Amino acid sequence: MMIQPAPSPTVPSIAIDSFWLPKQGSTIAESIDSAWNVVMWMSVVFFLILMVPMFYFMKKYKRRGPNDKTETLSHSTRIEVFWTLIPTVLCAALFFIGWTPFVNSWIAPAEA
């Protein structure tokens, strides 16, 4: 007995208005698209800020032999405060960038 595959439902086509996002179909789409663009470009920038130096330092400080040991590292409160506060501020900013369109989506347009 052969098992027949289930018929696939038809998928509606999405009108692509740009490379990234589909055509805007509501009054709040512009603010949501703007929030998405901010998050996406911020991710790209920080990816490059982190990955380019990482690969450079991987090549520069590659261990060359068995006697190539790292010296003892000391604690730096200044660096720890820096790498804690900056991402915290950025996460809070991203929260409010996304929160604004979310709250505005709860308010119905006047013609609705």
Side-chain angles (χ1 to χ4, degrees):
M1 177 176 186
M2 295 277 294
I3 298 176
Q4 297 293 329
S8 62
T10 59
V11 178
S13 63
I14 297 174
I16 301 295
D17 193 31
S18 70
F19 179 73
W20 297 112
L21 298 170
K23 191 169 132 181
Q24 295 176 350
S26 71
T27 57
I28 62 169
E30 184 176 352
S31 63
I32 292 171
D33 290 353
S34 296
W36 187 89
N37 284 327
V38 168
V39 171
M40 197 273 301
W41 285 111
M42 189 178 281
S43 299
V44 168
V45 167
F46 278 99
F47 176 80
L48 293 174
I49 286 172
L50 294 170
M51 294 302 115
V52 169
M54 181 187 77
F55 285 113
Y56 169 75
F57 288 124
M58 280 173 45
K59 184 167 176 62
K60 181 177 180 181
Y61 294 111
K62 180 181 177 185
R63 185 173 174 182
R64 305 279 185 233
N67 295 330
D68 218 5
K69 301 285 183 187
T70 303
E71 60 189 55
T72 305
L73 301 174
S74 64
H75 174 77
S76 175
T77 303
R78 180 179 291 167
I79 290 174
E80 289 188 18
V81 167
F82 177 76
W83 74 42
T84 301
L85 287 180
I86 299 299
T88 302
V89 169
L90 290 173
C91 285
L94 289 175
F95 171 80
F96 286 107
I97 287 170
W99 177 255
T100 304
F102 174 73
V103 170
N104 290 340
S105 70
W106 285 27
I107 302 168
E111 297 83 29

